[in-house]
Amino acid sequence: MRKKFIAGNWKMNTNAAQGVELAAALAKAIGSSTDVEVAVCPPALYLSAVGAAIKGSSIGLGAQNCHHEAKGAFTGEIAPAMLLDVGCKYVILGHSERRQLFHETNADVNKKTIAALAAGLTPIVCVGESLAERQANKTSDVVREQVQGSLAGLAGEQILKLVIAYEPIWAIGTGVVATPEQAEEVHADLRSLLTSRYTAAVADKVRIQYGGSVNAENAKTLLSQPNIDGALVGGASLKADGFLAIINGAK
Ligand code: PEP
């Protein structure tokens, strides 16, 4: 039985006080409840402050990116061990904004995933097709290639330590959510890819989140699909009430 996992990707939003306020409200409401796994991923600068605000609750702390090297002359970058050092448990990797705006390739995401796993972080590895790719019936080819490239060389026991997020680009931040059927079709396809690359037992344990305009209204139906194991939430994770409603939809 895969535990549902809801993660909030705050992207480049909030200031320190707003982030702490949001995190404290979530921590107060969620407390030590563990029926749904919950994480917040604030901007890197606020990780420590947000980490302090969720301390004592069951909410995990996540970062939005990392570098693949452990240390050295990489101005502006953050190593996986540094994220661990400030209390992170998770790191989002290969988000479509990083792939599109910062030109990250599957090979880059693969190096980061390997480094994050080696440091002891749980990577949330994002994949997803563009609207043009969906309209050209290339969704399966695109997401399969992204998963194979981003997770290249990983053994079954490493796959069990990460989470995949299927995030169709056309649904991110647009208010156009994938239908439960569209999302479920891709999730089931990815699980069958994992079955063929690893074993059915491994594939059955890997959590695959859906991301793209998830909100309090649509979360429950999406999360009731057999292969949708949680959500990566952008905009709707910036308000405590809305994010808590999504978490409730996972119960
Ligand atoms: C995201 O950026 O990961 C995301 C899913 O954003 P939104 O929920 O705003 O579509």
Side-chain angles (χ1 to χ4, degrees):
M1 184 69 183
R2 299 180 295 269
K3 187 190 253 194
K4 294 270 198 279
F5 176 32
I6 309 292
N9 174 13
W10 296 2
K11 311 194 189 192
M12 199 170 73
N13 291 300
T14 80
N15 58 28
Q18 290 163 341
V20 166
E21 190 185 345
L22 172 57
L26 295 172
K28 189 168 175 218
I30 293 168
S32 55
S33 155
T34 54
D35 40 359
V36 176
E37 195 170 317
V38 177
V40 289
C41 306
L45 265 181
Y46 305 146
L47 282 168
S48 292
V50 167
I54 57 174
K55 201 165 184 245
S57 79
S58 59
I59 304 172
L61 188 65
Q64 300 173 15
N65 184 28
C66 70
H67 194 263
H68 66 271
E69 293 287 354
K71 62 176 181 175
F74 303 101
T75 302
E77 294 292 330
I78 300 174
M82 294 171 179
L83 296 178
L84 211 71
D85 197 25
V86 296
C88 284
K89 184 169 174 201
Y90 309 94
V91 60
I92 299 170
L93 295 175
H95 189 279
S96 65
E97 286 149 19
R98 297 224 51 93
R99 291 178 185 265
Q100 288 191 308
L101 304 173
F102 302 98
H103 313 295
E104 285 189 11
T105 63
N106 289 329
D108 296 326
V109 180
N110 184 231
K111 283 193 274 189
K112 291 176 184 220
T113 303
I114 291 167
L117 283 169
L121 292 165
T122 299
I124 301 172
V125 179
C126 305
V127 299
E129 83 287 2
S130 67
L131 184 59
E133 287 162 343
R134 173 161 283 268
Q135 286 170 341
N137 283 325
K138 289 189 181 144
T139 299
S140 176
D141 290 348
V142 169
V143 296
R144 279 175 168 253
E145 192 183 319
Q146 287 175 332
V147 166
Q148 311 215 70
S150 302
L151 307 186
L154 296 183
E157 65 266 23
Q158 291 174 295
I159 297 295
L160 291 175
K161 293 185 180 143
L162 56 78
V163 174
I164 296 173
Y166 167 58
E167 300 207 300
I169 297 168
W170 48 270
I172 296 181
T174 58
V176 182
V177 65
T179 64
E181 295 73 26
Q182 284 174 320
E184 170 61 20
E185 185 183 24
V186 177
H187 284 234
D189 186 39
L190 290 180
R191 205 172 301 287
S192 87
L193 171 67
L194 294 176
T195 303
S196 59
R197 284 193 49 160
Y198 300 97
T199 62
V202 167
D204 193 47
K205 289 196 182 106
V206 177
R207 288 179 300 177
I208 308 177
Q209 294 176 313
Y210 167 79
S213 297
V214 174
N215 60 32
E217 284 73 46
N218 59 33
K220 203 173 179 61
T221 342
L222 283 160
L223 292 165
S224 61
Q225 300 301 307
N227 285 289
I228 300 185
D229 309 314
L232 182 54
V233 185
S237 70
L238 292 168
K239 293 252 164 34
D241 286 356
F243 193 53
L244 289 167
I246 293 169
I247 294 163
N248 276 328
K251 288 182 182 166

